[in-house]
Amino acid sequence: MTLDITGLGAIAAIGTSPEEIHDALCRSRSGLAPLRVFDQSKYRSHLAYEIDDRTEPGRDEPRRATRWLLHAVEQALTDAGLLDTAARYPVLVGTTHREQRSVELWWRGDAPVGFADLHFGTALRERFDVVNTFTFANACAASLYTLGLAADMIDNDMADTVVVAGTDSMTEATFGIFDRVQGGVPSEVRSFARQRHGMMMGEGAVAVVLRRAGHGTPSHARLRGVGMNCDAVHPTVPDAESVVRVVREAHSRAGVHPGDIDLVMLHGTGTVLNDRVEAGMLHEVFAGAKPMLTAIKSMTGHTLGGSGLLSLVMAVLSMRRGTVPPIHGLTDPMEEADGLDLVRDQARPAEVRTAQVDAFGLSGINAVAVLEAAP
Amino acid sequence: MTGRQVVATGVGLAVDGLRGPADLLTPYQRHPGGFDPDTGLRGKRMRHRDRASRLASLAADAALDDAGLRSAEGAFLGTPTRTATVVSTNLGNLDSVCSFVTTIDEQSALALNSTELPNTSSNVTAGWLAIEHGLRAPNLTLSNGATSGLDALHWARTLIATGRADAAVVTGVEPDNEYVRRLHRDNDERSWPDAAAAVVLESADHAERRGARARLVLGPYQRATSADAALRAVLPAQSAAGQLLAEPALAADRPVLDLASWAGRQSGALGVLQCVAAAAGLDDPEGVAVAVSCQLPDAAVAAMAFHGPAPVRAH
């Protein structure tokens, strides 16, 4: 499989375009800030990586995830030169929460919510006149899952061009349950650090335009393959063997060997378990090879459904710019990372030809993508 | 799409008051001896699961039994690495989201029940189904509005047609609870009963290899801006649909089976319920049924055709 990535779009706590976000990552600038609207007295943790765009500071508003999705999709279509013909291209959206934050505001009596707000199809249709829209609630592997489905569509002649996207805003329900469950109170996302205390939420949306190779517009990078599977073991504990399997499946579909991979964009949530399992996968799959490793959640927070595709977009920019962002704040890596090439302290100039992107979601759903630099 | 024909080999339900798929063919009522959520959703294996996941689990069991893919002890008899899980639901975890917020407001996050962690993610039901049966192929949750059920069938077929899986368990589910009822009321929609429907899909050659009986063949699928356009796009050129599963407004001149009248226009389970009803109603192996989602303001509509199981035909 060889598919062109011809358009990029993104927004997160640290920038409103892919380039801005990559700039911030390379300067090791984190989006962490005190909670902007949640009642701090209700939680042990008082920090998150929010997008600071509310009309009235301190007061939440509905449909922010929808707004960011439209922003990212429009950027990607514009970048690909396809905005005028947007109605033709299916849009596959991956999300963890959908508009559950709007539901929370409705439940409290702060804002109405309608059925059309719960998925993104109506908003996409109003903006882009597109009918083939699909919202997949596939947890934190969602946007790489949608990438895989989009690739399958093109490979099987169901479409020539597909818009792939992800979006999520923070919800109090999820913020609250992680606050309840995590052992410590994390002060920042500390991917692959010895002292790491858990996942912290971020916000963001991301989109790419995926096209059959050589379909007209210049390519930013090429997608080689996407592996997708399910642990089917436990709702919250990742399964090490399954994670190894999905990476090998991605390599096999991409026709690459571990030694071909220059860079791995880690899932790297900074939870004790995820990072341990992911490091175990790296030792097993990459025995003898030594790709560079970075984890953007250390600066964007966990952007949930869109996080995998945001990592992919940052990999594309790392290829184009020859610069890999560091893992923010990583001074003392965990023992399990011994022998791994973690990019830290500052951005590293490097030629990246082939990259792997990891995304592992709740309920044990995994997706891994392999991409290569444009020819 | 590649030419891998996809068939349904098992169907199942867990709908408040219904005894089985045949009850979908008559006006909805709670039958004596029908499924009772008050008693049917209990049991040790249901522990820690939200209501939608319990309902889905029962419907999937029934579909797997019907397909001959579950042992008497409940063990999955198919190939776990080649079986996908696809769920459609819109309000499956509304109860978790709203009740968590109430707990936080009245007490604090520390009062939340940690075992309910997976419930805030809308894929929780698909996760439980995969865990229950060990299904390791791709796992999808469609939360795509009123078209979700037919969308789920379409994507499950796509996973099979593109070789990601040989079979898929497709389950549509919507629970009934106080949160769902309030959302309905605030949006002038009628409430729905607890409802889950499940269909086992396989490639035709996979079904044939294991000697499974095809109940129906999935036909064309189309999304459109109107129910009429969606219907016309999937209707076989030479025939009027034998069975039309749609809102009455779509066809003034012929009878329709309007499951949405009780299952809900906004139900993510509707398309899968329609497929189960089509399987129950397709006596004629040459017959055809067409399901259409509801026409709602500003939302797209989906339609899918279902063919009787014989003879094998290309589409």
Side-chain angles (χ1 to χ4, degrees):
Chain A
M1 170 172 75
T2 305
L3 302 173
D4 285 340
I5 296 167
T6 68
L8 306 176
I11 179 170
I14 53 173
T16 59
S17 69
E19 291 77 12
E20 267 184 41
I21 295 168
H22 195 263
D23 287 343
L25 292 174
C26 289
R27 291 200 310 269
S28 201
R29 188 169 78 74
S30 165
L32 189 64
L35 286 175
R36 296 179 196 277
V37 296
F38 295 0
D39 178 353
Q40 297 197 7
S41 72
K42 300 292 186 179
Y43 309 95
R44 295 185 295 160
S45 169
H46 301 152
L47 299 164
Y49 303 76
E50 292 174 76
I51 293 176
D52 184 17
D53 69 339
R54 293 175 178 90
T55 313
E56 195 182 322
R59 186 184 163 83
D60 210 358
E61 56 201 52
R63 289 176 289 281
R64 290 165 71 239
T66 301
R67 184 162 82 212
W68 305 329
L69 172 70
L70 297 176
H71 170 89
V73 169
E74 184 161 329
Q75 271 185 350
L77 284 165
T78 304
D79 186 28
L82 297 175
L83 188 58
D84 292 345
T85 47
R88 292 184 202 162
Y89 316 121
V91 183
L92 311 189
V93 183
T95 178
T96 295
H97 287 146
R98 305 178 278 153
E99 274 290 359
Q100 279 172 206
R101 179 57 186 163
S102 298
V103 166
E104 293 183 343
L105 296 175
W106 159 76
W107 180 243
R108 285 225 178 86
D110 292 338
V113 71
F115 280 86
D117 296 325
L118 296 180
H119 59 88
F120 302 106
T122 298
L124 288 164
R125 184 170 158 203
E126 283 169 356
R127 176 71 71 89
F128 304 110
D129 200 26
V130 59
V131 172
N132 280 317
T133 57
F134 298 95
T135 297
F136 292 90
N138 256 40
C140 301
S143 58
L144 288 193
Y145 249 91
T146 52
L147 184 73
L149 296 174
D152 287 354
M153 286 179 75
I154 296 173
D155 275 347
N156 289 274
D157 299 325
M158 297 164 68
D160 290 320
T161 303
V162 181
V163 178
V164 184
T167 190
D168 266 305
S169 55
M170 285 183 10
T171 70
E172 280 181 83
T174 302
F175 190 86
I177 195 75
F178 274 91
D179 197 61
R180 162 74 181 81
V181 168
Q182 296 194 134
V185 180
S187 56
E188 59 183 342
V189 172
R190 309 191 69 191
S191 312
F192 278 54
R194 189 185 309 270
Q195 296 293 325
R196 60 189 189 282
H197 301 290
M199 187 276 271
M200 294 175 74
M201 282 172 32
E203 297 185 315
V206 55
V208 306
V209 174
L210 193 64
R211 307 202 86 183
R212 192 181 300 286
H215 213 72
T217 32
S219 177
H220 289 297
R222 286 186 150 173
L223 179 67
R224 292 290 302 267
V226 182
M228 308 188 266
N229 77 355
C230 178
D231 298 350
V233 175
H234 192 278
T236 56
V237 181
D239 181 57
E241 286 176 30
S242 180
V243 167
V244 167
R245 271 197 302 271
V246 77
V247 171
R248 291 196 165 135
E249 184 200 329
H251 290 184
S252 159
R253 285 178 178 271
V256 300
H257 300 287
D260 299 330
I261 306 281
D262 301 309
L263 170 68
V264 177
M265 304 297 290
L266 299 166
H267 189 56
T269 55
T271 62
V272 171
L273 267 179
N274 174 83
D275 292 5
R276 185 185 295 153
V277 165
E278 197 167 17
M281 173 275 288
L282 294 165
H283 285 297
E284 186 168 343
V285 172
F286 290 95
K290 205 169 176 183
M292 292 176 280
L293 310 173
T294 193
I296 69 170
K297 290 185 184 70
S298 61
M299 288 173 268
T300 62
H302 194 338
T303 56
L304 307 177
S307 66
L309 198 62
L310 185 59
S311 288
L312 180 136
V313 168
M314 292 304 113
V316 171
L317 289 182
S318 295
M319 287 172 168
R320 288 174 59 96
R321 293 171 158 190
T323 307
V324 177
I327 302 176
H328 177 78
L330 180 58
T331 49
D332 184 19
M334 61 188 191
E335 240 170 66
E336 296 90 332
D338 283 357
L340 301 178
D341 183 14
L342 295 161
V343 178
R344 53 194 178 116
D345 302 327
Q346 56 187 351
R348 186 189 298 181
E351 187 189 359
V352 180
R353 292 288 316 159
T354 307
Q356 168 184 324
V357 186
D358 294 350
F360 312 126
L362 270 183
S363 287
I365 54 176
N366 310 307
V368 172
V370 174
L371 64 159
E372 66 177 17
Chain B
M1 198 184 298
T2 49
R4 258 184 135 186
Q5 195 173 50
V6 172
V7 300
T9 54
V11 297
L13 292 181
V15 176
D16 188 0
L18 299 195
R19 298 162 299 191
D23 283 343
L24 293 174
L25 304 178
T26 56
Y28 176 78
Q29 59 167 303
R30 299 188 78 245
H31 296 271
F35 172 65
D36 181 357
D38 287 342
T39 55
L41 295 179
R42 295 183 191 157
K44 192 174 170 195
R45 77 172 177 133
M46 297 296 190
R47 273 202 318 168
H48 304 320
R49 298 191 198 180
D50 62 353
R51 192 175 187 87
S53 299
R54 295 175 189 214
L55 286 163
S57 175
L58 295 176
D61 282 356
L64 288 166
D65 283 341
D66 192 37
L69 284 173
R70 219 167 70 105
S71 73
E73 295 75 36
F76 180 63
L77 299 175
T79 310
T81 53
R82 296 292 300 162
T83 307
T85 309
V86 182
V87 165
S88 58
T89 187
N90 291 318
L91 304 185
N93 70 338
L94 190 74
D95 51 357
S96 296
V97 174
C98 297
S99 66
F100 280 27
V101 166
T102 298
T103 299
I104 291 168
D105 284 349
E106 291 176 352
Q107 302 175 65
S108 77
L110 284 174
L112 294 170
N113 179 349
S114 59
T115 61
E116 295 179 16
L117 170 66
N119 298 3
T120 58
S121 185
S122 306
N123 72 323
V124 58
T125 295
W128 280 120
L129 287 171
I131 289 165
E132 182 150 37
H133 302 290
L135 310 180
R136 303 212 302 258
N139 184 295
L140 302 179
T141 297
L142 270 297
S143 294
N144 202 39
T147 60
S148 293
L150 295 178
D151 299 335
L153 293 166
H154 162 70
W155 283 103
R157 169 170 57 188
T158 302
L159 289 174
I160 294 169
T162 59
R164 293 267 182 188
D166 292 326
V169 180
V170 184
T171 309
V173 61
E174 297 291 2
D176 174 34
N177 54 52
E178 61 178 295
Y179 312 97
V180 168
R181 283 194 290 272
R182 187 170 131 192
L183 186 67
H184 280 134
R185 199 166 59 239
D186 285 2
N187 285 280
D188 297 322
E189 290 286 337
R190 272 194 292 174
S191 252
W192 56 45
D194 283 312
V199 177
V200 175
L201 298 182
E202 306 176 55
S203 65
D205 51 333
H206 186 265
E208 195 178 313
R209 272 202 307 279
R210 69 179 193 91
R213 182 170 75 94
R215 309 290 293 275
L216 53 75
V217 182
L218 296 197
Y221 159 91
Q222 183 72 46
R223 291 173 67 84
T225 54
S226 74
D228 192 53
L231 172 64
R232 275 186 281 110
V234 304
L235 205 57
Q238 73 283 20
S239 73
Q243 187 184 36
L244 185 58
L245 301 114
E247 291 180 291
L250 187 54
D253 56 337
R254 54 195 291 198
V256 296
L257 187 57
D258 181 18
L259 301 181
S261 64
W262 59 268
R265 303 193 304 166
Q266 301 279 3
S267 167
L270 180 64
V272 188
L273 282 164
Q274 287 170 323
C275 182
V276 173
L282 268 176
D283 299 326
D284 177 3
E286 300 272 351
V288 61
V290 175
V292 186
S293 70
C294 296
Q295 179 91 56
L296 295 156
D298 307 321
V301 179
M304 182 178 264
F306 306 108
H307 299 280
V312 174
R313 58 172 83 67
H315 64 257

